Amino acid sequence: MNELAVEQVEDPTILNAHDAIVRVRLTTTCGSDLHLLGGYVPTMRAGDVLGHEFIGEIVETGSEVKNHRVGDRVVVCSFISCGKCWYCKNELYSLCDNSNPNAGIPEMLWGQAPGGCYGYSHALGGWAGSHAEYIRVPYADQGAFTVPDGVSDERALFASDAAPTGWMGADLGGVRPGDTVAVWGAGGVGQMAARAAILLGAERVIVIDRFQERLGQVEQVIGAETMNYETSEVLAELRETTGGRGPDVCIEAVGMEAHRDRPDFAYDQLKQQLRLQTDRPTAVREAIFAARKGGSVFVLGVFGGFVDKFPLGPLMNKGLTLRFAQQHGHRYIPMLLERMARDELATEHLATHVMPLDEAPAGYGMFKEKTDGCVRAVFRP
Ligand SMILES: NC(=O)c1ccc[n+]([C@@H]2O[C@H](COP(=O)([O-])OP(=O)(O)OC[C@H]3O[C@@H](n4cnc5c(N)ncnc54)[C@H](O)[C@@H]3O)[C@@H](O)[C@H]2O)c1
Ligand SMILES: [Zn+2]
Ligand SMILES: [Zn+2]
């Protein structure tokens, strides 16, 4: 747990006719990786390569790859989808039935297995990650997307995961023109959810966090309002600013390591440390309390197992819709790349610290502790 190093591994090779080998140009850290480092998401093994968000250049293709050629600049969806199974045909790409060779592990934990994800534990397939010079991309026609000329690497990189995840939260959370949307978490995912809500026509979008640098980005780049939870009464202020009703859509972009100086947080943290529960649902609870009657809560933050003190009563009696998902990026990535090309969606500000891959352990340290205003540490192999 928590041990990171840059080491020499074998170069990947084409194993299947649908594979491509991609030379990684940039790869970023993600809040999800912190859950791996903390040991909250289990089934990592010594020697596993981390990283699931990346942009690169195709250097080799299998004989069945039709849409890509050597030299294409591509961004690759973090979740792997075959494009042919029932789930992929129904656009539930992260639930692909064919991309997780270790389905037995999650079936034991969760009843059924989601699809695979690069560099994200053996429960999600044991695929080698993108914090490397080269990566094998299975189902390359399905998962790799050519980046339009004129969109920089630093911008397109976030079409891999943060941008489609945020878009999914706003889309499947049911944001409609005129809505008020509250987003918990001003990391890459929360910022992208807020921008998506604005582009989908929300009248007001309010992002909640405690890091002032991140909230500054939200105001200046994303164009949303902010609330610092350390100096605001979040529930009361959300009620007041919405005429007593509460936000129509609440999006949680925090996950299992939520923080809060409050008794419920201390309770969650103690139970999590004692392994009596797996996750800290602090922000999910607040989102459920904040949502207006009949509204919806979409949880983008990653959760792994079981919690208690979960507010079923408010969910039921306020008539709320609660949804979750790992990102179905294949639905959104082409549209997001077009918006990036039209300058409707800027993401490069998230890459606050770009460094050589050799410096990755230090980059992870900054990202984890959120020091020096780090929003995402990005590595150049
Ligand atoms: N669903 C998906 O497919 C998907 C994809 C990518 C990331 N994620 C998850 O999304 C979450 C966010 O990812 P990220 O990269 O933005 O992470 P991040 O660590 O950069 O950001 C999380 C932010 O949440 C804030 N926060 C903590 N407790 C809070 C609270 N009680 N209220 C409000 N804000 C709080 C932190 O200060 C931080 O700024 C993670 O759980 C990650 O695993 C999910
Ligand atoms: Zn991610
Ligand atoms: Zn599939």
Side-chain angles (χ1 to χ4, degrees), residues 34 64 155 157 307:
L34 299 180
E64 290 297 319
R155 180 174 286 194
L157 167 64
V307 298

Short mmCIF file of all heavy atoms in Angstrom, two decimals, residues 34 64 155 157 307:
data_model
loop_
_atom_site.label_atom_id
_atom_site.label_comp_id
_atom_site.label_asym_id
_atom_site.label_seq_id
_atom_site.Cartn_x
_atom_site.Cartn_y
_atom_site.Cartn_z
N LEU A 34 -6.00 7.58 -6.03
CA LEU A 34 -5.73 7.78 -4.60
C LEU A 34 -6.40 6.68 -3.78
O LEU A 34 -5.86 6.22 -2.78
CB LEU A 34 -6.21 9.16 -4.15
CG LEU A 34 -5.53 10.33 -4.88
CD1 LEU A 34 -6.08 11.66 -4.37
CD2 LEU A 34 -4.01 10.27 -4.71
N GLU A 64 -7.01 -6.71 -37.37
CA GLU A 64 -8.45 -6.41 -37.47
C GLU A 64 -8.78 -4.96 -37.10
O GLU A 64 -9.95 -4.57 -37.08
CB GLU A 64 -9.25 -7.33 -36.54
CG GLU A 64 -9.29 -8.79 -36.99
CD GLU A 64 -9.98 -8.97 -38.34
OE1 GLU A 64 -11.02 -8.30 -38.56
OE2 GLU A 64 -9.47 -9.74 -39.17
N ARG A 155 -5.24 19.42 -23.42
CA ARG A 155 -6.69 19.53 -23.36
C ARG A 155 -7.35 18.17 -23.61
O ARG A 155 -8.20 17.72 -22.85
CB ARG A 155 -7.18 20.56 -24.39
CG ARG A 155 -8.67 20.74 -24.38
CD ARG A 155 -9.12 21.86 -25.30
NE ARG A 155 -8.82 23.16 -24.75
CZ ARG A 155 -9.34 24.31 -25.21
NH1 ARG A 155 -10.17 24.30 -26.23
NH2 ARG A 155 -9.01 25.46 -24.66
N LEU A 157 -6.25 15.20 -23.32
CA LEU A 157 -5.96 14.19 -22.30
C LEU A 157 -7.18 13.93 -21.41
O LEU A 157 -7.48 12.80 -21.05
CB LEU A 157 -4.78 14.70 -21.45
CG LEU A 157 -4.46 14.00 -20.14
CD1 LEU A 157 -4.02 12.56 -20.39
CD2 LEU A 157 -3.35 14.75 -19.39
N VAL A 307 -21.52 0.63 3.74
CA VAL A 307 -21.48 1.73 4.72
C VAL A 307 -22.72 1.62 5.61
O VAL A 307 -23.68 0.91 5.26
CB VAL A 307 -21.51 3.11 4.03
CG1 VAL A 307 -20.28 3.29 3.16
CG2 VAL A 307 -22.78 3.32 3.24
#
